[in-house]
Amino acid sequence: MGDGSVIPKFSNMKAFLGIVAGAGASYGIYKLFSGTSFRKNKKSATNENNGRLFPHAGIVPEPGSLLAKVSGLDVIRGGESQAVPGGVESSDIMSKSPGSLEPQHLKMLLSLLQSTPSSSERVQILITLGNTAAFTVNQNLIYEFGGVHIIAGFLSDPVPEVRVQTLNALNNLSMNLRNQVQLKVYVAKVLELIEMSPVNSDLQMAALRLLTNLSVTDNHQHLLRGSVTLLLSLLVVSNQLLQIQVLKVLVNVSSNPDMMDDIVQAQAPASVVLLFDVRTSSPVLLRLLTFAGNLKAWRPSDQVAEALRRQDCLYRVLLDESSLLHSRLFQLLSHPDGEVRAKVAWVLS
């Protein structure tokens, strides 16, 4: 992430970091100083599957995005039916029931998607492909036609709605394990879209849904090692619907013991602990407690224990003896929701 922000000298860095407590500042400093992008087996029963929903280019962060809020960047915001081979109109194909499309129709749609200059038509084609991808037979056909990479190429489309429908189509395709193997190369791009897009936007939601499906098994969870700070920062500034989706991803990756060392060492906003509150909605709180329970079941290695002396990591925020989490959990034992009380007791056990 390049920008024109003034970066404090290294000698002042620790003092500057010590002042910061909020989510935005925490995430902004992480991005400014680390210079990192998102880089490149045992499972608990708490994994969440999102279910079906209908070439890298830099994207300028849009107004209202998490990155724009914390970095101080000046941000600039950046059909008629066509005939397809065989004399069939694209509107004829897209008007068919998703389950009735034949292989040649899918080929035609993929070809048209690459050739049409109309963004509105691209949106309609992607919606149609996304709907057809709810069926296993079509997931396999799109894979065989090279459609995963064709569709994923529109993650960099300049039109936000095209990117949203691209993500929706890929989300349905991700229900197929063969497609997941091809989709894993786009995880970094999906994380970039989350980072650059307006908070609580449809684009962020669609991207998180895709990551939820990709993180259900431990096959690709390692690709999210560098994303924990982004997810935690988004968690404390987003609305309830997006919080639930963020937590689905965090619950999935925290159910994998091989991921835990990276998770607890991630830089985290201190305000994460404030979400453990009776005013937090029960759907959010239940997933937050599941995430906390997964963390509390972990034990650090000697090497990691040494690294945990950093004051701004997730371990210090939620697991350290000085954390406010313990007292907040006891307060939640009197929560009016019985399911929440049971989950709190599980975390404390």
Side-chain angles (χ1 to χ4, degrees):
M1 180 190 76
D3 61 48
S5 302
V6 177
I7 301 178
K9 294 181 179 178
F10 184 78
S11 60
N12 295 329
M13 188 181 302
K14 289 185 178 179
F16 184 62
L17 286 171
I19 297 172
V20 176
S26 176
Y27 180 65
I29 291 168
Y30 162 77
K31 291 295 290 181
L32 286 171
F33 291 139
S34 70
T36 56
S37 313
F38 300 102
R39 300 178 285 277
K40 48 205 154 212
N41 256 304
K42 304 152 190 150
K43 306 287 292 175
S44 74
T46 57
N47 271 19
E48 302 225 33
N49 187 304
N50 194 58
R52 293 182 172 88
L53 287 174
F54 283 52
H56 181 81
I59 297 176
V60 176
E62 298 184 28
S65 69
L66 180 63
L67 186 59
K69 285 182 176 181
V70 303
S71 66
L73 293 173
D74 291 328
V75 177
I76 301 175
R77 182 183 298 278
E80 296 180 355
S81 297
Q82 297 186 30
V84 292
V88 181
E89 296 290 327
S90 62
S91 59
D92 295 337
I93 298 176
M94 289 184 284
S95 65
K96 291 178 177 290
S97 169
S100 68
L101 291 182
E102 298 177 8
Q104 66 267 26
H105 296 145
L106 295 176
K107 281 185 178 180
M108 291 175 183
L109 287 173
L110 291 170
S111 175
L112 184 59
L113 182 63
Q114 298 175 87
S115 62
T116 179
S118 167
S119 59
S120 61
E121 181 135 356
R122 284 198 296 273
V123 167
Q124 292 305 313
I125 294 171
L126 287 165
I127 290 174
T128 302
L129 287 168
N131 288 337
T132 63
F135 299 88
T136 301
V137 62
N138 292 332
Q139 293 168 4
N140 291 325
L141 286 170
I142 291 173
Y143 173 90
E144 292 167 5
F145 297 154
V148 174
H149 294 306
I150 292 172
I151 294 170
F154 291 90
L155 289 171
S156 297
D157 194 278
V159 178
E161 183 60 19
V162 172
R163 300 200 296 272
V164 169
Q165 297 306 331
T166 296
L167 287 163
N168 286 343
L170 295 178
N171 185 43
N172 274 356
L173 288 169
S174 72
M175 303 299 291
N176 183 302
L177 292 180
R178 285 202 305 172
N179 287 336
Q180 285 194 9
V181 173
Q182 294 191 343
L183 285 169
K184 68 181 182 180
V185 301
Y186 301 103
V187 168
K189 181 63 181 178
V190 173
L191 288 166
E192 179 189 339
L193 289 174
I194 293 173
E195 182 182 17
M196 299 292 188
S197 303
V199 174
N200 300 322
S201 62
D202 290 342
L203 208 156
Q204 279 192 333
M205 179 63 77
L208 287 165
R209 285 169 176 156
L210 176 57
L211 293 183
T212 300
N213 280 347
L214 291 177
S215 63
V216 167
T217 70
D218 58 9
N219 294 335
H220 311 302
Q221 290 173 347
H222 63 282
L223 299 172
L224 298 175
R225 290 185 189 278
S227 69
V228 178
T229 294
L230 169 65
L231 294 173
L232 292 171
S233 299
L234 189 57
L235 178 65
V236 298
V237 299
S238 56
N239 61 25
Q240 177 182 327
L241 290 177
L242 208 72
Q243 284 178 325
I244 290 173
Q245 208 63 50
V246 170
L247 284 165
K248 285 182 178 182
V249 180
L250 288 173
V251 166
N252 283 351
V253 296
S254 66
S255 66
N256 184 349
D258 293 337
M259 290 287 294
M260 199 61 70
D261 285 358
D262 296 281
I263 293 172
V264 297
Q265 292 180 84
Q267 190 178 30
S271 51
V272 168
V273 75
L274 300 180
L275 293 174
F276 292 85
D277 188 273
V278 68
R279 291 167 294 186
T280 300
S281 70
S282 291
V284 172
L285 197 50
L286 286 168
R287 290 174 172 83
L288 192 62
L289 288 165
T290 300
F291 177 57
N294 288 345
L295 296 181
K296 287 177 71 68
W298 164 87
R299 294 294 180 270
S301 63
D302 292 341
Q303 180 181 3
V304 173
E306 178 67 22
L308 291 175
R309 294 179 180 178
R310 292 189 313 167
Q311 294 297 318
D312 56 349
C313 65
L314 183 61
Y315 178 87
R316 292 291 186 180
V317 174
L318 293 184
L319 300 178
D320 189 62
E321 293 178 358
S322 62
S323 171
L324 296 175
L325 178 61
H326 197 67
S327 62
R328 285 183 164 267
L329 288 175
F330 273 102
Q331 293 173 14
L332 289 174
L333 285 172
S334 59
H335 196 281
D337 188 324
E339 192 175 358
V340 170
R341 293 197 303 273
K343 185 71 76 172
V344 172
W346 170 73
V347 176
L348 289 171
S349 63

